[in-house]
C-alpha cells in the first residue's frame, strides 16, 4: 500500500529570534544588535515592544539623548521578501508556512461617520496571539496551496485558495529557517460573513482557533483608537508584518497612514511599559 501523507499541522513557529536570545548564544539576536548603545532603561523596553513596534522603534526611534527619551519617526517595518520561485528552490532545511488574508470592501460607517473601507479577517489563536488562518505545510507531500487548503478546512470549514491568490513570500529572522507565504483573496462582504459563520462550526473552533476578528482599518480622532490600538496587540511571528505588507501592496491603506498607525501603536506600548520600568538616571 502507498504511504499515506500526514496532515499538515497547524503549529505556530517561534517568534523572531526569541529562541536564540533565550539561549544566550554567542551571536546576538536582531533585537539585541539593534539596541546596542541605547540609553539605560530603554534596552529592556526594546525587548517588550513587540514585532512591528520594536523594529520601528529601533530603526526610526533611536534615543536622541542619554536620558532615555526617544523621538519617533514613522516607519513601516518589513521583512526580506523573495519570489515564489526562489522560495521553491530553498533546500530541505527550510520550513514553509502558508496563511491567508481574506478581505472585502466595506461601505459601512462606524457611528455613521467613520468609513470602514475594508473588512480583513484575522483570528485569535489558542496561545492568545493574533494571526492569519493557516499553518505549516509539509512540502514533501503537498503543494503550498493543497497544504494551505487542508489547514483552512480545519479552521474555516469552507474555502479553497489557488495559486492565483498567492501574494508574497518572506524569510523570517532567527534560528528557525522558515519562509512565510501569504495568500490574499478579496470576497464580497456577504461572502466574508459566510466565512465567519462557517468558522464557528469548523473542527478547530474553540480549540486551536478561538474565533475570527475583523481588523479595524480606521483611526479615530484620538489617533489611537482603531488600527493603532489593534497593532498594539500581540501577534504570532510574521503576522503583523504580513498584515502591514498586504495593506500596502493591495492599496488598502496609504503607506503614510500605515506608518502613522505603527508609530502611534509603538508609542502607546512604550508609554505603558515605561510605567512598569524604574526611571533611568
Amino acid at each position: 500500500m502507498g504511504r499515506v501523507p500526514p496532515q499538515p499541522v497547524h503549529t505556530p513557529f517561534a517568534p523572531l529570534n526569541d529562541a536564540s536570545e533565550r539561549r544566550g548564544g554567542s551571536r546576538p539576536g536582531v533585537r539585541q544588535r539593534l539596541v546596542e548603545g541605547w540609553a539605560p532603561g530603554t534596552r529592556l523596553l526594546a525587548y517588550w515592544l513587540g514585532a512591528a513596534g520594536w523594529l520601528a522603534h529601533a530603526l526610526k526611534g533611536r534615543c536622541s539623548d542619554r536620558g532615555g527619551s526617544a523621538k519617533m519617526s514613522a516607519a513601516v517595518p518589513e521583512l526580506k521578501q523573495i519570489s515564489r520561485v526562489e522560495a521553491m528552490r530553498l533546500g530541505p532545511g527550510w520550513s514553509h508556512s502558508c496563511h491567508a488574508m481574506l478581505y472585502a470592501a466595506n461601505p459601512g460607517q462606524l457611528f455613521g461617520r467613520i468609513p470602514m473601507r475594508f473588512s480583513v479577517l484575522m483570528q485569535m489563536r489558542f496561545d492568545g496571539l493574533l494571526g492569519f488562518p493557516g499553518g505549516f505545510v509539509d512540502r514533501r507531500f503537498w503543494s503550498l496551496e493543497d497544504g494551505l487548503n487542508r489547514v483552512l478546512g480545519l479552521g474555516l470549514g469552507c474555502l479553497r485558495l489557488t495559486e492565483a491568490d498567492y501574494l508574497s513570500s518572506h524569510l523570517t529572522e532567527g534560528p528557525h529557517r522558515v519562509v512565510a507565504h501569504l495568500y490574499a483573496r478579496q470576497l464580497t462582504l456577504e461572502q466574508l460573513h459566510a466565512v465567519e459563520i462557517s468558522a464557528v462550526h469548523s473542527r478547530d473552533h474553540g480549540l486551536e482557533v478561538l474565533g475570527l476578528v475583523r481588523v479595524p482599518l480606521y483611526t479615530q480622532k484620538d489617533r489611537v483608537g482603531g488600527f493603532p490600538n489593534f497593532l498594539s496587540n500581540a501577534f504570532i511571528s510574521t503576522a503583523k508584518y504580513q498584515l502591514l505588507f498586504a495593506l500596502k501592496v493591495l492599496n488598502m491603506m496609504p503607506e503614510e497612514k500605515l506608518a502613522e498607525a505603527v508609530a502611534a501603536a509603538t508609542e502607546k506600548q512604550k508609554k505603558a511599559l515605561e510605567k512598569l520600568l524604574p526611571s533611568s538616571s
Side-chain angles (χ1 to χ4, degrees), residues 8-261:
V9 180
H10 184 73
T11 306
F13 47 90
L16 306 184
N17 282 318
D18 282 359
S20 61
E21 289 167 12
R22 285 197 301 269
R23 287 197 299 267
S26 58
R27 188 177 74 87
V30 171
R31 299 187 202 187
Q32 181 178 341
R33 295 198 303 272
L34 287 173
V35 298
E36 285 298 326
W38 282 19
T42 60
R43 292 193 182 191
L44 180 58
L45 174 62
Y47 280 83
W48 286 80
L49 283 179
W54 68 259
L55 188 57
H57 190 79
L59 295 179
K60 296 295 183 179
R62 296 288 297 268
C63 294
S64 57
D65 59 64
R66 300 302 292 179
S69 62
K71 181 180 179 181
M72 280 298 302
S73 298
V76 179
E78 296 180 352
L79 292 174
K80 181 179 179 180
Q81 185 179 5
I82 63 174
S83 69
R84 179 189 174 96
V85 173
E86 291 172 322
M88 294 298 96
R89 290 175 180 169
L90 294 175
W94 285 85
S95 298
H96 294 259
S97 69
C98 295
H99 293 83
M101 188 182 92
L102 306 177
Y103 66 101
N106 189 338
Q109 291 188 331
L110 179 65
F111 307 132
R113 55 183 175 79
I114 302 177
M116 304 291 288
R117 303 179 61 215
F118 291 94
S119 291
V120 175
L121 294 185
M122 297 191 78
Q123 64 185 19
M124 177 62 69
R125 297 156 39 91
F126 62 94
D127 50 13
L129 300 176
L130 289 168
F132 288 111
F136 276 108
V137 172
D138 192 332
R139 287 280 295 132
R140 295 174 300 172
F141 304 105
W142 309 109
S143 68
L144 294 180
E145 291 75 31
D146 286 342
L148 172 61
N149 285 324
R150 287 176 178 272
V151 178
L152 293 181
L154 300 178
L156 297 182
C158 65
L159 192 69
R160 288 193 62 83
L161 300 186
T162 69
E163 186 175 340
D165 299 306
Y166 170 83
L167 184 64
S168 64
S169 298
H170 290 89
L171 298 180
T172 66
E173 297 281 356
H176 303 279
R177 306 178 74 187
V178 176
V179 55
H181 306 280
L182 182 65
Y183 292 72
R185 176 179 290 183
Q186 182 170 4
L187 307 173
T188 67
L189 199 56
E190 292 75 18
Q191 290 171 329
L192 195 79
H193 184 53
V195 170
E196 292 173 315
I197 295 174
S198 176
V200 175
H201 303 285
S202 67
R203 196 194 76 172
D204 280 351
H205 181 74
L207 298 171
E208 294 188 30
V209 180
L210 302 184
L212 294 175
V213 296
R214 294 191 183 189
V215 181
L217 296 181
Y218 51 81
T219 301
Q220 295 177 260
K221 286 186 177 180
D222 62 2
R223 302 196 178 192
V224 177
F227 194 47
N229 270 342
F230 184 82
L231 292 178
S232 299
N233 287 300
F235 293 76
I236 183 65
S237 192
T238 59
K240 186 183 289 187
Y241 294 94
Q242 290 175 316
L243 172 63
L244 295 171
F245 174 85
L247 294 178
K248 180 176 69 172
V249 300
L250 295 175
N251 297 316
M252 297 172 66
M253 184 179 292
E255 187 169 1
E256 61 271 18
K257 294 297 183 182
L258 289 171
E260 289 174 3

Side-chain angles (χ1 to χ4, degrees), residues 45 266-277:
L45 174 62
T266 304
E267 187 65 19
K268 176 185 176 181
Q269 292 171 317
K270 175 177 176 290
K271 289 180 179 179
L273 289 169
E274 282 177 340
K275 295 179 181 180
L276 302 176
L277 297 175

